[in-house]
Amino acid sequence: RGEYVAFMDDDCTWHPERLDRIDRFLRRHDPQPAYIATQTVLVRAGPQPSYALDPELPSGESPCRVGAPMMVVARQALLEVEGFDERLPRSHDWDLAIRLVDRFGGRLLAEPLTWAEDLPGLTTDPDKLRTASRILLEKYGRRSPVSHPLTVRLHRAFAHKMLMLEQGPEGRRHYRHAASLAPSMMTNWATALLAHGGGRLYRLVTGMVARHRARREA
């Protein structure tokens, strides 16, 4: 019945002032955006808990890599894009974001207004990943929608997850689509070629890159 819809997951917590801040953000814009996303603090439990901000984007860029609890959508916009694709066992929120950005554009409220436990869950379930991968390849494999950066990031994320789970053919297909959608991004071609060298080589090289980045940031 409301004008806007906000979502929640069972492993997330909202900032106590989240809805008030979103309301103030909407009132500052005319016309009001049909879709906005806030940032999330990812909480990694353990002997030394760590925290990471997601997504790390400037406020002017369309929101990407969004989880449902980060999304606020005008009810009419949600109905026009026909809501979530219920065939998807994973990445249904990302798929919804692509369709919303395609139709209405999107805004990022660059404030961490949600906390989320960084748990593997469906992320590492190979069967669910394969199912989602094939549906998303069918939907976004051969076209470049308005939400171009979102789609490229989606393919890169799925490629990486599939290769880390030794799902080589699926991972390589996603990297090829990322490269074809953004041919000027040399990293897409480099990772696509690396993926063709086999899962073991891919995991070795990406592990080395991740460790180097962690040392540099430390």
Side-chain angles (χ1 to χ4, degrees), residues 11-14 39-54 70 112-120:
D11 58 350
C12 296
T13 304
W14 279 359
Q39 291 174 301
T40 287
V41 176
L42 297 175
V43 182
R44 300 182 177 93
Q48 295 182 317
S50 63
Y51 306 88
L53 191 62
D54 184 50
M70 302 157 69
L113 301 180
T114 306
W115 291 273
E117 298 178 53
D118 194 14
L119 301 172

Side-chain angles (χ1 to χ4, degrees), residues 141-144 148 152 155 173-184 188-189:
R142 294 182 176 83
R143 67 184 183 92
S144 178
H148 185 266
V152 172
H155 282 304
R173 286 180 67 194
H174 280 289
Y175 268 135
R176 286 198 299 271
H177 284 304
S180 65
L181 287 171
S184 62
N188 287 333
W189 293 106

Side-chain angles (χ1 to χ4, degrees), residues 41-113:
V41 176
L42 297 175
V43 182
R44 300 182 177 93
Q48 295 182 317
S50 63
Y51 306 88
L53 191 62
D54 184 50
E56 297 187 53
L57 288 174
S59 58
E61 187 172 339
S62 294
C64 74
R65 293 194 295 116
V66 295
M70 302 157 69
M71 303 171 70
V72 179
V73 185
R75 178 179 178 273
Q76 187 58 40
L78 188 63
L79 293 174
E80 285 187 32
V81 300
E82 300 181 347
F84 292 109
D85 185 340
E86 295 185 25
R87 298 176 300 162
L88 286 166
R90 162 162 175 65
S91 296
H92 50 280
D93 38 19
W94 206 339
D95 169 74
L96 177 61
I98 287 176
R99 288 182 281 119
L100 287 166
V101 172
D102 266 354
R103 182 80 64 90
F104 304 104
R107 296 295 299 269
L108 174 70
L109 173 53
E111 295 185 29
L113 301 180

